[in-house]
Amino acid sequence: MSPLPEAELVRSSVQLYRYLLRCCRRLPQGPIQQHYRHAIRQSFKVHADEDDPERIQQIIKRAIQDADWVMNK
């Protein structure tokens, strides 16, 4: 099960970015939320120049799995 029901609809990097930030809003306020928001921004910047569609889909799939893990812990 994904953290939010819209996970199946994520197809692009911008959609992933917005989805992950929405997931962050469900975390407790304070340092935990700030940490994950910062990590999401940094990861987006690191992968901004990625142009291989297959690699982008791998990144999206892994990010959703990671978000699921974080939300369930």
Side-chain angles (χ1 to χ4, degrees):
M1 181 177 163
S2 297
L4 293 176
E6 303 93 38
E8 314 77 51
L9 304 175
V10 174
R11 299 282 182 249
S12 71
S13 56
V14 173
Q15 289 174 333
L16 176 64
Y17 184 74
R18 294 181 68 210
Y19 171 79
L20 293 174
L21 289 178
R22 282 193 300 272
C23 287
C24 266
R25 285 190 229 141
R26 298 176 67 196
L27 295 172
Q29 293 287 329
I32 294 172
Q33 193 178 72
Q34 291 173 356
H35 167 77
Y36 284 108
R37 287 177 61 87
H38 178 72
I40 291 166
R41 287 187 183 111
Q42 291 303 312
S43 293
F44 187 76
K45 290 177 185 177
V46 167
H47 296 292
D49 62 344
E50 188 66 57
D51 58 358
D52 179 21
E54 187 175 317
R55 177 70 179 130
I56 292 170
Q57 290 306 311
Q58 289 174 347
I59 293 168
I60 289 171
K61 183 179 177 184
R62 180 58 193 241
I64 291 171
Q65 290 172 346
D66 290 347
D68 188 26
W69 182 83
V70 168
M71 299 302 288
N72 287 325
K73 72 174 203 178

